[in-house]
mmCIF file of all heavy atoms in Angstrom:
data_model
loop_
_atom_site.group_PDB
_atom_site.id
_atom_site.type_symbol
_atom_site.label_atom_id
_atom_site.label_comp_id
_atom_site.label_asym_id
_atom_site.label_seq_id
_atom_site.Cartn_x
_atom_site.Cartn_y
_atom_site.Cartn_z
ATOM 1 N N ARG A 7 98.969 78.296 102.089
ATOM 2 C CA ARG A 7 97.883 79.275 101.919
ATOM 3 C C ARG A 7 97.255 79.664 103.255
ATOM 4 O O ARG A 7 96.044 79.780 103.396
ATOM 5 C CB ARG A 7 96.806 78.723 100.967
ATOM 6 C CG ARG A 7 97.286 78.499 99.563
ATOM 7 C CD ARG A 7 96.151 78.096 98.647
ATOM 8 N NE ARG A 7 95.546 76.859 99.089
ATOM 9 C CZ ARG A 7 96.010 75.669 98.754
ATOM 10 N NH1 ARG A 7 97.079 75.545 98.016
ATOM 11 N NH2 ARG A 7 95.402 74.567 99.174
ATOM 12 N N LEU A 11 94.449 85.748 110.732
ATOM 13 C CA LEU A 11 93.243 86.482 111.106
ATOM 14 C C LEU A 11 93.602 87.838 111.678
ATOM 15 O O LEU A 11 94.581 87.986 112.390
ATOM 16 C CB LEU A 11 92.479 85.712 112.193
ATOM 17 C CG LEU A 11 91.847 84.391 111.782
ATOM 18 C CD1 LEU A 11 91.137 83.808 112.991
ATOM 19 C CD2 LEU A 11 90.882 84.585 110.656
ATOM 20 N N TRP A 30 81.169 72.039 129.035
ATOM 21 C CA TRP A 30 81.984 70.883 128.654
ATOM 22 C C TRP A 30 81.483 69.606 129.311
ATOM 23 O O TRP A 30 81.666 68.516 128.780
ATOM 24 C CB TRP A 30 83.455 71.139 128.980
ATOM 25 C CG TRP A 30 83.831 70.990 130.419
ATOM 26 C CD1 TRP A 30 83.858 71.972 131.369
ATOM 27 C CD2 TRP A 30 84.230 69.793 131.073
ATOM 28 N NE1 TRP A 30 84.246 71.456 132.570
ATOM 29 C CE2 TRP A 30 84.488 70.131 132.425
ATOM 30 C CE3 TRP A 30 84.390 68.469 130.675
ATOM 31 C CZ2 TRP A 30 84.895 69.182 133.359
ATOM 32 C CZ3 TRP A 30 84.804 67.533 131.613
ATOM 33 C CH2 TRP A 30 85.050 67.894 132.928
ATOM 34 N N GLU A 56 88.644 63.876 108.373
ATOM 35 C CA GLU A 56 88.303 63.052 107.219
ATOM 36 C C GLU A 56 87.098 63.603 106.476
ATOM 37 O O GLU A 56 87.006 63.519 105.264
ATOM 38 C CB GLU A 56 87.951 61.638 107.668
ATOM 39 C CG GLU A 56 89.029 60.713 108.186
ATOM 40 C CD GLU A 56 90.342 61.300 108.615
ATOM 41 O OE1 GLU A 56 91.195 61.511 107.734
ATOM 42 O OE2 GLU A 56 90.568 61.511 109.792
ATOM 43 N N CYS A 125 93.847 83.293 121.026
ATOM 44 C CA CYS A 125 94.646 83.308 119.801
ATOM 45 C C CYS A 125 94.015 82.372 118.785
ATOM 46 O O CYS A 125 93.512 81.302 119.152
ATOM 47 C CB CYS A 125 96.077 82.846 120.076
ATOM 48 S SG CYS A 125 96.915 83.708 121.436
ATOM 49 N N TYR A 137 97.345 66.872 111.176
ATOM 50 C CA TYR A 137 97.953 68.115 111.644
ATOM 51 C C TYR A 137 98.106 68.031 113.159
ATOM 52 O O TYR A 137 97.277 67.428 113.836
ATOM 53 C CB TYR A 137 97.085 69.324 111.269
ATOM 54 C CG TYR A 137 96.923 69.498 109.779
ATOM 55 C CD1 TYR A 137 95.799 69.002 109.124
ATOM 56 C CD2 TYR A 137 97.898 70.122 109.026
ATOM 57 C CE1 TYR A 137 95.648 69.136 107.751
ATOM 58 C CE2 TYR A 137 97.758 70.273 107.648
ATOM 59 C CZ TYR A 137 96.632 69.769 107.019
ATOM 60 O OH TYR A 137 96.501 69.908 105.662
ATOM 61 N N SER A 145 109.997 79.737 126.775
ATOM 62 C CA SER A 145 111.081 80.438 127.456
ATOM 63 C C SER A 145 110.516 81.144 128.681
ATOM 64 O O SER A 145 109.298 81.194 128.884
ATOM 65 C CB SER A 145 111.737 81.468 126.526
ATOM 66 O OG SER A 145 110.798 82.467 126.140
ATOM 67 N N ARG A 160 101.959 66.631 110.683
ATOM 68 C CA ARG A 160 102.477 65.573 111.548
ATOM 69 C C ARG A 160 103.413 64.633 110.794
ATOM 70 O O ARG A 160 104.392 64.148 111.356
ATOM 71 C CB ARG A 160 101.303 64.779 112.129
ATOM 72 C CG ARG A 160 101.690 63.657 113.067
ATOM 73 C CD ARG A 160 102.382 64.166 114.302
ATOM 74 N NE ARG A 160 102.399 63.169 115.344
ATOM 75 C CZ ARG A 160 103.259 63.164 116.359
ATOM 76 N NH1 ARG A 160 104.173 64.105 116.442
ATOM 77 N NH2 ARG A 160 103.210 62.243 117.294
ATOM 78 N N THR A 194 74.693 76.826 117.764
ATOM 79 C CA THR A 194 73.537 75.943 117.621
ATOM 80 C C THR A 194 73.628 75.135 116.333
ATOM 81 O O THR A 194 73.204 73.966 116.279
ATOM 82 C CB THR A 194 72.242 76.767 117.649
ATOM 83 O OG1 THR A 194 72.179 77.500 118.879
ATOM 84 C CG2 THR A 194 71.020 75.879 117.538
ATOM 85 N N CYS A 197 74.787 71.432 116.140
ATOM 86 C CA CYS A 197 73.892 70.301 116.435
ATOM 87 C C CYS A 197 73.310 69.680 115.172
ATOM 88 O O CYS A 197 72.653 68.636 115.238
ATOM 89 C CB CYS A 197 72.760 70.764 117.354
ATOM 90 S SG CYS A 197 73.311 71.334 118.979
ATOM 91 N N THR A 216 111.353 62.605 124.290
ATOM 92 C CA THR A 216 109.958 62.648 123.850
ATOM 93 C C THR A 216 109.263 61.342 124.206
ATOM 94 O O THR A 216 109.768 60.256 123.888
ATOM 95 C CB THR A 216 109.864 62.889 122.332
ATOM 96 O OG1 THR A 216 110.419 64.180 122.036
ATOM 97 C CG2 THR A 216 108.403 62.861 121.861
ATOM 98 N N TYR A 217 108.123 61.449 124.857
ATOM 99 C CA TYR A 217 107.329 60.299 125.285
ATOM 100 C C TYR A 217 106.067 60.231 124.426
ATOM 101 O O TYR A 217 105.480 61.266 124.096
ATOM 102 C CB TYR A 217 106.936 60.434 126.753
ATOM 103 C CG TYR A 217 108.124 60.571 127.680
ATOM 104 C CD1 TYR A 217 108.650 61.833 127.986
ATOM 105 C CD2 TYR A 217 108.719 59.457 128.253
ATOM 106 C CE1 TYR A 217 109.740 61.972 128.835
ATOM 107 C CE2 TYR A 217 109.819 59.586 129.104
ATOM 108 C CZ TYR A 217 110.321 60.841 129.394
ATOM 109 O OH TYR A 217 111.408 60.971 130.234
ATOM 110 N N SER A 241 94.553 52.408 110.999
ATOM 111 C CA SER A 241 96.010 52.450 110.983
ATOM 112 C C SER A 241 96.538 53.837 111.295
ATOM 113 O O SER A 241 97.680 53.993 111.748
ATOM 114 C CB SER A 241 96.523 52.007 109.611
ATOM 115 O OG SER A 241 96.009 52.846 108.584
#
Side-chain angles (χ1 to χ4, degrees):
R7 296 186 299 275
L11 292 181
W30 78 268
E56 289 17 276
C125 308
Y137 298 97
S145 62
R160 181 63 163 159
T194 302
C197 297
T216 297
Y217 302 89
S241 59

